[in-house]
Amino acid sequence: MDTLSLTDFDVFLFHEGNMQHAYRFMGCHVKAGISTDFCVWAPEARSISVVGSFNNWNGRGYELKRINQEGVWVIRVDEDLSGSTYKYEIVTSSGERRMKADPYGFSSEVRPRTASVVYDLEGFKWSDRDWMKVKEKHNRFDQPMFIYEVHLGTWKKKRDGGFLTYSELADELIPYVKEHGFTHIEILPVTEHPFDRSWGYQGTGYYAPTSRYGSPHEFMAFVNECHAHHIGVILDWVPGHFCKDAHGLYQFDGSFAYEYARDSDRENHTWGTVNFDLAKGEVRSFLLSNARFWMEKYHIDGFRVDAVANIIYWANQGESAANEGALEFLKRLNTSVFEFDPSFLMMAEDSTDWPQVTSPVHYGGLGFSYKWNMGWMNDVLTYMEATPEERRGLHSLITFSILYAFSENYILPFSHDEVVHGKRSLLDKMPGDHWQKFAQYRLLLAFMTGHPGKKLLFMGSELAPFAEWKDLEQLDWHLMSYDFHHKFNSYFREVLHLYRGATPLHQWDHRSDGFEWIDVNNADQQIFSFIRHSEGEHLIIICNFSKEAYHHYKVGVPLVKAYQEILNSDEERFGGSHQINPHSLPVTKGAYHGKEGSIEMTIPPYGAVYLKPII
């Protein structure tokens, strides 16, 4: 046995907090098929041995050597250990013996087993060069983005209740997503985690795609297949906190190596987790390198960064004290990500009003590409859950978002958090009888699609389930045999494909001149009308949140020859009452609603209408 060598500069960057590819030497690496290197950081350990299936879990003769005072330990085993399971046997400063999985391990056993697995990531042949080139050329901000948020374990299951594999998901999920018109798949955390019902948000293996669904190479193949069908892949990524399971990062060497030392900073009582010490150099290197790892090794296209509010502010202090070390980490993270790939998507799940979340770091911002618009989501759902009579007094909940819509680059999310734990499904949030619920759900989708900002919907939204997400069961696929659900699904696909093809719905999402109110004040009739603009084009969108139909309704419009209806959520084929505008709508010259002309049209009950000018 021999010890591997590391450059002094690598070690310096790792401890300083600027190492962006620590996975190239930390963890376990098979070398040329003849040896296996192990490297781990454990600053307070008294001794460390690597134990596993290759030595009958007996560490005698497999002791790691400490190479510096800061706690980097290494060993070279003169054997190809591919496929072996292993852990680090750590003796703490107090003499306690702990068995820990590899923080940088590339693969893990299938839960409930918890050992790391020696795995060589090399050898997969990528074929997504064309996707990468196209992505580099496009300005991501003016492209359509409608994201399908997925929990891989419950999208669909096998007949025996088992999980689909990454390979089976590639065969079934990708064509389904493409058929429905989504542009991206966002996967709830795929990093290894011990408890199914944490949905991956309480992780232990940050460098290991969960073995529930297959091997690392099979996950690479899934991403590669997504790219072959022009579907981007976004990972839900959790750099703020981690779980306390005994084999994970928690008190890794008996000390608080990865987490804050002070109890009030460390403990995240809401989730039963602990917070990463984001000011510590080695922790920063661990997370910066993890971001680079998924980009480099798995060709991931973006991260949805979880719980940014919990990162920005100190735990248990609310929005009263900013965590300066964490803010510096976020800026360093986004800077390093975009230096490696300027086309990458960094999305902050942030519920705070912290300024300049999506402004570049060199302009004083945090540097994200996008921010989830949680305010819009809460306001819209509050409005939709109200009765038509109550909505008259809640008019500003719909209009308020435009006042700040262009202050950040926003994503409009209806995520898993809104349809679980007693919150009800989106369909069931709608008031009224069966028909009214479906009509308003169609209206909600049309309003969301027409509103400035990129979009995200949780899986199953396209099926219009009455039941909220059941996080141990598959989606309610049987609903497609019912007429109303089948018709809604047809409508859903038509809306998303219209969104992708209509440049006014996405090209100027983040420019104030991309949106223009027609009538913002009609609280009594609960009708909102507005224009979406793009370069040389525009669409008129009218949304009626009341149960009344309005005939010969006059709307101010730009002066063109005529308009034609390209979407009406009330069409009979979608389950509506078919109060539509089948013929072209001529424009009458004369100021109305502050526009040069006007049209008269039918406004359906609980309906949305999209109009396109006839030039």
Side-chain angles (χ1 to χ4, degrees):
M1 298 190 185
D2 190 10
T3 57
L4 66 146
S5 59
L6 296 173
T7 69
D8 290 340
F9 188 58
D10 283 341
V11 174
F12 168 76
L13 288 179
F14 174 73
H15 293 304
E16 184 191 44
N18 282 317
M19 170 54 66
Q20 297 176 27
H21 46 78
Y23 53 88
R24 297 180 187 175
F25 57 86
M26 299 296 288
C28 175
H29 298 267
V30 176
K31 300 292 185 179
I34 58 174
S35 66
T36 307
D37 292 346
F38 295 89
C39 181
V40 66
W41 173 65
E44 299 299 324
R46 181 186 297 177
S47 65
I48 305 177
S49 301
V50 60
V51 298
S53 58
F54 54 90
N55 62 7
N56 294 317
W57 301 90
N58 186 335
R60 180 170 295 180
Y62 290 82
E63 295 86 2
L64 278 71
K65 177 182 179 181
R66 183 170 186 146
I67 64 170
N68 66 3
Q69 185 178 358
E70 291 79 13
V72 175
W73 302 71
V74 299
I75 188 175
R76 169 166 291 163
V77 178
D78 295 325
E79 183 181 353
D80 183 342
L81 298 178
S82 295
S84 300
T85 55
Y86 72 99
K87 285 187 177 181
Y88 294 114
E89 184 179 48
I90 300 175
V91 177
T92 71
S93 59
S94 65
E96 180 186 358
R97 199 170 295 270
R98 299 191 172 199
M99 298 286 280
K100 290 287 189 177
D102 190 345
Y104 289 84
F106 296 150
S107 184
S108 301
E109 290 186 292
V110 180
R111 54 94 180 92
R113 297 186 296 273
T114 58
S116 301
V117 178
V118 179
Y119 195 96
D120 189 353
L121 292 179
E122 301 305 316
F124 181 80
K125 297 188 182 300
W126 291 92
S127 59
D128 61 350
R129 182 175 297 179
D130 289 345
W131 164 263
M132 294 298 190
K133 287 182 177 179
V134 169
K135 190 175 70 166
E136 289 173 3
K137 292 179 181 178
H138 282 166
N139 175 357
R140 61 190 183 276
F141 296 111
D142 65 14
Q143 296 298 303
M145 185 185 297
F146 217 125
I147 303 166
Y148 191 62
E149 186 190 32
V150 182
H151 179 248
L152 296 180
T154 55
W155 179 73
K156 187 180 287 187
K157 291 198 172 187
K158 298 179 181 179
R159 288 187 177 181
D160 63 1
F163 297 127
L164 295 184
T165 65
Y166 291 123
S167 299
E168 290 165 336
L169 286 162
D171 292 339
E172 296 194 41
L173 175 60
I174 296 171
Y176 180 85
V177 166
K178 186 173 183 179
E179 174 193 1
H180 280 76
F182 290 100
T183 61
H184 294 73
I185 295 172
E186 180 176 303
I187 306 172
L188 267 63
V190 76
T191 46
E192 195 56 85
H193 52 283
F195 183 46
D196 289 359
R197 301 197 77 178
S198 78
W199 315 328
Y201 288 100
Q202 298 185 13
T204 51
Y206 272 68
Y207 287 81
T210 179
S211 54
R212 287 167 174 79
Y213 318 123
S215 70
H217 279 158
E218 288 170 331
F219 184 60
M220 290 179 187
F222 172 83
V223 176
N224 196 52
E225 189 67 11
C226 285
H227 291 169
H229 288 83
H230 308 287
I231 300 293
V233 180
I234 299 164
L235 294 188
D236 207 331
W237 190 58
V238 190
H241 62 109
F242 58 91
C243 69
K244 297 182 177 181
D245 288 57
H247 67 284
L249 300 176
Y250 182 60
Q251 294 185 350
F252 185 74
D253 59 359
S255 71
F256 298 117
Y258 285 88
E259 58 270 41
Y260 292 108
R262 192 166 63 181
D263 178 86
S264 60
D265 300 334
R266 178 179 67 251
E267 295 297 324
N268 200 313
H269 299 292
T270 301
W271 300 313
T273 57
V274 291
N275 296 311
F276 277 109
D277 184 345
L278 296 173
K280 187 178 291 185
E282 295 85 356
V283 174
R284 286 185 175 181
S285 290
F286 175 80
L287 292 169
L288 293 175
S289 296
N290 190 245
R292 177 71 63 87
F293 170 79
W294 291 106
M295 298 168 72
E296 180 182 305
K297 295 298 184 181
Y298 288 93
H299 292 202
I300 297 303
D301 303 293
F303 294 136
R304 177 265 197 185
V305 181
D306 175 65
V308 169
N310 183 68
I311 295 174
I312 291 177
Y313 294 102
W314 284 106
N316 305 313
Q317 294 186 41
E319 298 185 13
S320 59
N323 184 336
E324 295 299 332
L327 289 168
E328 175 58 32
F329 163 75
L330 290 175
K331 294 175 183 179
R332 193 174 299 187
L333 167 69
N334 286 319
T335 299
S336 67
V337 161
F338 294 127
E339 284 177 351
F340 183 73
D341 181 1
S343 69
F344 202 73
L345 303 170
M346 289 294 287
M347 305 172 176
E349 189 249 336
D350 177 25
S351 58
T352 76
D353 59 359
W354 189 267
Q356 293 186 277
V357 172
T358 60
S359 293
V361 172
H362 57 271
Y363 289 149
L366 294 185
F368 286 94
S369 335
Y370 294 98
K371 173 179 175 174
W372 275 25
N373 195 336
M374 311 294 279
W376 174 89
M377 177 272 296
N378 283 311
D379 287 348
V380 168
L381 290 183
T382 298
Y383 184 87
M384 294 304 300
E385 291 182 72
T387 66
E389 294 72 27
E390 293 170 331
R391 287 174 182 169
R392 291 188 177 92
L394 300 174
H395 193 76
S396 63
L397 292 179
I398 296 296
T399 62
F400 179 63
S401 60
I402 298 301
L403 296 179
Y404 64 87
F406 311 105
S407 62
E408 303 274 8
N409 302 323
Y410 282 115
I411 289 176
L412 311 181
F414 289 135
S415 73
H416 66 278
D417 279 330
E418 311 320 315
V419 293
V420 74
H421 295 327
K423 293 182 181 178
R424 299 180 295 165
S425 71
L426 290 178
L427 175 68
D428 200 31
K429 292 177 192 288
M430 306 297 110
D433 60 26
H434 186 273
W435 188 93
Q436 291 172 333
K437 283 181 179 290
F438 274 92
Q440 289 173 93
Y441 191 28
R442 294 192 301 271
L443 168 62
L444 175 61
L445 179 64
F447 175 69
M448 175 190 193
T449 303
H451 192 285
K454 308 310 181 186
K455 332 291 179 187
L456 176 142
L457 283 169
F458 185 52
M459 66 179 194
S461 301
E462 72 282 6
L463 306 179
F466 275 101
E468 65 180 20
W469 177 38
K470 303 177 287 291
D471 64 349
L472 291 178
E473 302 175 27
Q474 69 173 1
L475 297 182
D476 293 333
W477 295 106
H478 65 280
L479 293 175
M480 287 299 93
S481 63
Y482 293 91
D483 186 56
F484 263 84
H485 297 273
H486 182 75
K487 287 179 176 178
F488 176 83
N489 186 253
S490 297
Y491 169 76
F492 187 99
R493 284 179 286 173
E494 187 151 326
V495 170
L496 265 64
H497 283 286
L498 172 62
Y499 164 77
R500 294 185 65 164
T503 54
L505 295 177
H506 55 76
Q507 188 180 65
W508 290 355
D509 263 330
H510 310 299
R511 292 172 47 168
S512 59
D513 54 350
F515 179 92
E516 181 184 359
W517 284 113
I518 296 175
D519 186 1
V520 68
N521 297 313
N522 194 348
D524 187 54
Q525 292 177 304
Q526 298 152 61
I527 293 177
F528 300 84
S529 52
F530 53 91
I531 307 174
R532 290 300 309 276
H533 291 280
S534 65
E535 189 172 353
E537 298 182 55
H538 73 273
L539 292 178
I540 304 291
I541 300 173
I542 303 103
C543 295
N544 176 17
F545 290 90
S546 80
K547 59 186 176 183
E548 305 297 330
Y550 299 97
H551 302 284
H552 306 291
Y553 188 89
K554 193 173 181 180
V555 181
V557 296
L559 191 59
V560 297
K561 178 181 179 182
Y563 284 86
Q564 65 180 12
E565 187 174 87
I566 59 172
L567 178 74
N568 188 318
S569 67
D570 194 49
E571 283 194 55
E572 185 178 12
R573 65 192 175 103
F574 300 144
S577 61
H578 208 63
Q579 303 196 54
I580 64 173
N581 299 278
H583 308 296
S584 64
L585 301 167
V587 176
T588 300
K589 187 176 181 179
Y592 195 78
H593 285 150
K595 304 298 181 282
E596 301 89 345
S598 64
I599 57 174
E600 286 193 6
M601 60 181 294
T602 293
I603 307 291
Y606 290 138
V609 178
Y610 283 28
L611 302 175
K612 180 179 180 179
I614 301 173
I615 306 293

